Amino acid sequence: MTGTKVLAMLAATALATAGCSSADPASSGPVTVTYWHGYNETGEELQTLRDVVIPAFEKAHPNIKVKQVPFPDEALRQKVLGAAAGGELPCLLRSDIVWVPELAKLGVLEPLDAKLKDFDALAKRTFPGPLETNKYRDKYYGLPLDTNTRVLMYTPAALKAAGLEKAPETFEDVRAAAAKLKGSPVKAFADGGTDGWNLLPWIWSAGGNLLNPELTKASGHLDSPASVAAVQLLVDLRNEGQLPDIMLGGTGGTPTDEGIAKGEYLSTLDGPWTFPIYEKQFPGVTVATSKMPAGPGGSVSVVGGEDIVMTKSCPDKEAGGEFIRYLLSDEAQLEMAKVGQMPVLADLGARLTSIKPYYGIFVEQLKTARPRPPVPQYKKIESLLSQHVSEALKGTVSPKQALTDAARAIDAVLAQD
């Protein structure tokens, strides 16, 4: 029996027990909603949640108290999986978007589309890409809480030094910029790895895909001519000396933010969290943005962020639902936006860019951004993708062979479900 099956059985047993002790707010006084998250204990996000968002909610809902519990981000997933086996899950969890299908498969999450009567109205206001990260087998087990995506970042100074009038807007522009930079110490593009986070914007923009629409097969999609063309572009950049070694795993060269600031790299793909980094570490450097360079499939980037989910262990699901609604309110979303948590509400418009003007390009990119496949095996799938594309970048196999091998290995992982 696999570890996942054992964990699922333990979780089911524990949840059955937990379900027998549901709290009755009418008879037991104020209800406590326990909320686990991975906000940094010394960060502005936690301070705003603790000192602004929760007090405002509790003032509007005097019979509900929120107990927020922070965990180191890197430890939260293991804590959640361990608590699932022991029946000690909180009412609500701020979940990384790629954990949702894994937890849904374990049977520890409530399907919010069935649990919240106003789910459709809440979902309708969110960006479509982040919303889809909550879907598993035709049910939605959460709602987007905060989001992000990746856009092209560069400095006007680097463009000028390269003799370019504008940042690359298409795949052809990327190739042209690389040709222009040939023989110079500046590299046309840099990124820190070959995970889906790094590769999928290129594959999708080329018109390719990782899996079929049913999320059951990679062959015929990951190894399609369009997907191969995307990886071929990156391989060509590397062969021309226009893609640094850090693409092979984040080491062996200058980090992307430092390389952009110092003019070593013309461009990279990155998210809104980098602007405070540039402001603090590289004062005086002006960073500009544009959308992901478009290929035959358009300009398509990848969705990041976190979702809010409700566990079956939640003792008062109505109270938990009220806090979810508040977290997705204009008030709460805009407060968290002030400390760098990009809202998921697509209709905030100028109110969002008035808080942080650089949010504007990310809002635009999110209109077409896609989620990484919401399947429980995604971590294994991503590892295989990274492993095989790295071999293509090293020149040990062709892009076509790398993606063919990756697709076959991914098919085998998916077939185990």
Side-chain angles (χ1 to χ4, degrees):
M1 184 177 290
T2 66
T4 298
K5 290 181 179 178
V6 171
L7 186 53
M9 291 174 63
L10 290 171
T13 301
L15 289 173
T17 303
C20 297
S21 57
S22 178
D24 180 1
S27 60
S28 58
V31 173
T32 297
V33 172
T34 303
Y35 175 41
W36 287 5
H37 59 79
Y39 292 125
N40 190 309
E41 290 195 59
T42 60
E44 293 180 311
E45 300 95 336
L46 178 53
Q47 182 178 349
T48 297
L49 174 69
R50 182 188 63 222
D51 299 341
V52 179
V53 173
I54 291 176
F57 171 78
E58 291 179 341
K59 182 177 180 180
H61 301 81
N63 290 327
I64 305 175
K65 300 298 179 183
V66 177
K67 178 183 178 182
Q68 60 83 21
V69 184
F71 291 92
D73 189 58
E74 65 277 4
L76 181 56
R77 178 174 174 273
Q78 290 305 315
K79 175 65 177 178
V80 169
L81 292 177
E88 299 173 350
L89 283 168
C91 176
L92 302 179
L93 169 69
R94 178 178 179 259
S95 170
D96 188 287
I97 58 176
V98 300
W99 302 347
V100 176
E102 180 181 20
L103 295 174
K105 182 181 178 181
L106 287 175
V108 299
L109 300 183
E110 288 284 0
L112 289 190
D113 53 357
K115 186 59 60 176
L116 300 181
K117 294 180 180 179
D118 54 348
F119 177 86
D120 289 344
L122 294 168
K124 187 177 181 180
R125 293 193 64 199
T126 66
F127 289 106
L131 177 63
E132 287 304 300
T133 67
N134 293 279
K135 190 175 183 180
Y136 177 65
R137 292 185 174 174
D138 298 323
K139 293 183 181 294
Y140 286 88
Y141 287 88
L143 281 161
L145 180 61
D146 54 76
T147 191
N148 57 68
T149 187
R150 308 184 84 205
V151 300
L152 199 73
M153 291 192 173
Y154 60 93
T155 65
L159 284 185
K160 184 177 181 180
L164 297 171
E165 295 182 358
K166 62 180 182 178
E169 296 178 351
T170 65
F171 281 18
E172 291 75 16
D173 290 346
V174 173
R175 289 189 181 276
K180 189 94 171 179
L181 290 166
K182 188 175 182 179
S184 82
V186 180
K187 299 187 185 301
F189 179 75
D191 208 344
T194 52
D195 289 342
W197 182 246
N198 312 99
L199 296 175
L200 287 174
W202 297 99
I203 291 173
W204 288 329
S205 296
N209 218 329
L210 177 55
L211 303 179
N212 63 351
E214 296 77 23
L215 307 179
T216 58
K217 188 177 182 181
S219 292
H221 302 272
L222 181 56
D223 54 353
S224 69
S227 298
V228 171
V231 175
Q232 186 67 60
L233 170 58
L234 297 174
V235 169
D236 290 346
L237 291 178
R238 174 135 175 96
N239 291 342
E240 294 163 9
Q242 296 299 313
L243 190 71
D245 289 345
I246 58 167
M247 188 79 182
L248 295 172
T251 60
T254 306
T256 53
D257 51 2
E258 182 181 346
I260 291 292
K262 292 182 177 180
E264 294 180 23
Y265 307 142
L266 178 68
S267 64
T268 188
L269 291 176
D270 224 327
W273 56 84
T274 57
F275 280 92
I277 294 175
Y278 285 116
E279 291 171 3
K280 292 178 182 179
Q281 297 185 12
F282 309 103
V285 173
T286 299
V287 179
T289 57
S290 61
K291 291 175 67 177
M292 166 71 199
S299 171
V300 185
S301 195
V302 60
V303 170
E306 283 76 27
D307 296 325
I308 183 73
V309 298
M310 179 186 293
T311 77
K312 290 185 176 179
S313 297
C314 183
D316 194 299
K317 296 176 175 60
E318 288 190 10
E322 284 300 320
F323 191 51
I324 289 175
R325 293 182 184 93
Y326 186 74
L327 289 175
L328 289 178
S329 68
D330 291 18
E331 181 181 0
Q333 289 274 299
L334 290 171
E335 285 294 342
M336 295 303 291
K338 295 176 183 178
V339 291
Q341 295 293 294
M342 188 169 174
V344 297
L345 304 181
D347 56 4
L348 290 179
R351 287 188 290 169
L352 180 57
T353 53
S354 68
I355 293 174
K356 293 191 183 293
Y358 60 71
Y359 278 147
I361 186 68
F362 297 98
V363 170
E364 188 65 25
Q365 189 74 73
L366 276 166
K367 293 177 181 178
T368 58
R370 298 180 189 173
R372 287 157 284 182
V375 293
Q377 310 95 324
Y378 180 73
K379 286 292 187 182
K380 293 181 180 179
I381 290 171
E382 183 174 62
S383 178
L384 290 166
L385 175 67
S386 177
Q387 170 191 334
H388 287 283
V389 172
S390 292
E391 292 304 313
L393 289 170
K394 294 174 185 176
T396 56
V397 296
S398 69
K400 173 63 176 175
Q401 188 62 55
L403 294 184
T404 298
D405 293 343
R408 289 171 180 167
I410 291 169
D411 285 349
V413 169
L414 290 168
Q416 295 172 4
D417 185 10

